[in-house]
Amino acid sequence: MPLLSAVIISVLFVSIIDEDALLKILDLPILVVLDEAYIEFSGIPSRMAWVKKHENLIVLRTFSKRAALAGLRVGYGAFPLSIIEYLWRAKQPYNVSVAAEVAACAALENPAYLEKVKVALVQERERLYKLLKEMPFLNPYPSYSNFILCGVTCGMDAKKLKEDLAKMGVMIRHYSNKELKGYVRVSVGKPEHTDVLIDCLRRLS
């Protein structure tokens, strides 16, 4: 494979990329890293098989989201053969822990359960999105993941909103960095979790 530019494009499936746009990017002399951490929640197929056709494409996947194994830090990826040699040189001497390996294998042995949980979560995500749109001080964005990003409007402070909800026993995430200042992130949970959150938000209206 010819030497590629040092520029790496990482495309997150928090938002999705059009197939034609991705093909145009892959035509460039750069290494493209496609992060499919949330692919199961997006409703579109994985591009992992594309690695066989594109020498400059890497696709990364994780057990953190779909299988809820975030604390075990176990994931995998598809890499062109020409890059594997260099990955082995940079690889740390140890693999994932025994606990992570056992948990990942258990997840792979229960695909029907994982699919059932995913379908329920996506359904609840749509319900949560509609309810958040009813809040006068929130501007939720359509989601392809297991959380919903919301702009905090009407003069309400995002950090204070997080703190007020925390006092009620509800935890959400707010951002202080420049790009996402004024936004909060709401994770999708069970229907009863949604109900408690919405009740608290209505009390803050």
Side-chain angles (χ1 to χ4, degrees):
M1 184 177 67
L3 184 63
L4 299 173
S5 167
V7 177
I8 297 178
I9 295 180
S10 179
V11 184
L12 300 178
F13 265 105
V14 172
S15 59
I16 60 176
I17 183 170
D18 177 80
E19 184 172 303
D20 291 337
L22 179 56
L23 286 171
K24 289 179 180 178
I25 294 173
L26 288 169
D27 282 339
L28 300 173
I30 57 176
L31 182 62
V32 179
V33 180
L34 193 61
D35 184 345
E36 290 189 346
Y38 297 95
I39 186 66
E40 291 88 358
F41 307 106
S42 71
I44 64 174
S46 169
R47 273 64 179 266
M48 187 164 280
W50 287 27
V51 175
K52 295 180 179 180
K53 300 179 180 179
H54 300 277
E55 286 269 308
N56 60 329
L57 174 63
I58 292 174
V59 178
L60 302 180
R61 303 286 292 274
T62 178
F63 285 81
S64 295
K65 316 303 179 185
R66 173 78 181 277
L69 301 181
L72 296 178
R73 315 304 298 172
V74 57
Y76 59 101
F79 306 83
L81 289 175
S82 55
I83 295 178
I84 292 293
E85 175 188 351
Y86 299 98
L87 288 178
W88 278 111
R89 294 180 189 178
K91 177 186 174 299
Q92 295 184 1
Y94 304 106
N95 294 312
V96 297
S97 68
V98 173
E101 183 177 346
V102 170
C105 289
L108 292 173
E109 291 171 358
N110 291 276
Y113 173 75
L114 291 182
E115 182 66 16
K116 180 181 178 180
V117 172
K118 183 210 73 173
V119 170
L121 189 146
V122 170
Q123 290 176 345
E124 188 59 23
R125 181 185 68 195
E126 300 311 307
R127 186 174 84 97
L128 175 60
Y129 175 75
K130 292 176 181 178
L131 290 169
L132 289 173
K133 283 182 69 70
E134 296 176 3
M135 299 299 112
F137 50 84
L138 291 179
N139 179 30
Y141 290 83
S143 174
Y144 300 97
S145 65
N146 61 350
F147 66 86
I148 297 176
L149 183 70
C150 301
V152 181
T153 62
C154 299
M156 183 173 285
D157 181 76
K159 183 179 180 181
K160 187 176 186 305
L161 174 60
K162 174 197 171 181
E163 293 171 348
D164 288 344
L165 286 173
K167 293 175 183 177
M168 300 179 185
V170 175
M171 301 300 296
I172 64 172
R173 181 177 178 181
H174 95 286
Y175 297 91
S176 56
N177 56 307
K178 181 179 178 181
E179 293 77 12
L180 287 173
K181 188 173 183 180
Y183 288 82
V184 295
R185 168 176 157 169
V186 180
S187 295
V188 183
K190 297 180 180 179
E192 54 265 35
H193 299 152
T194 297
D195 294 340
V196 171
L197 168 66
I198 296 303
D199 178 65
C200 291
L201 288 172
R202 284 171 177 162
R203 281 190 271 163
L204 293 174
S205 299

